[in-house]
């Protein structure tokens, strides 16, 4: 049975690339969901609409 996994510690250059990749993954900022601003915008529009309706009634 052949081992397809290459140990990055066996090669200094491969280990450094592996370690740098892990650091970049850890420091990468998660993408923010566009759902929150959309919900906030809809809520503001609804509130303004209700206020306008009540004032003009």
């Amino acid at each position: 049975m052949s081992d397809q996994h290459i140990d990055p510690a066996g090669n200094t250059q491969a280990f450094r690339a592996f370690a740098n990749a892990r650091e970049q993954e850890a420091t990468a900022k998660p993408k923010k969901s566009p759902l929150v601003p959309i919900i906030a915008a809809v809520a503001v529009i609804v509130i303004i609409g209700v206020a306008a309706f009540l004032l003009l009634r």
Side-chain angles (χ1 to χ4, degrees):
M1 185 169 141
S2 67
D3 187 16
Q4 296 295 329
H5 177 72
I6 298 172
D7 182 17
N11 182 333
T12 303
Q13 186 178 12
F15 177 73
R16 286 183 180 163
F18 173 77
N20 288 337
R22 298 284 291 181
E23 286 178 7
Q24 288 176 355
E25 286 178 8
T27 60
K29 293 181 181 178
K31 293 184 177 181
K32 293 183 179 178
S33 172
L35 188 59
V36 173
I38 292 171
I39 292 173
V42 170
V44 168
I45 291 170
V46 168
I47 291 171
I48 291 173
V50 170
F53 174 75
L54 291 175
L55 289 174
L56 297 175
R57 200 171 78 152

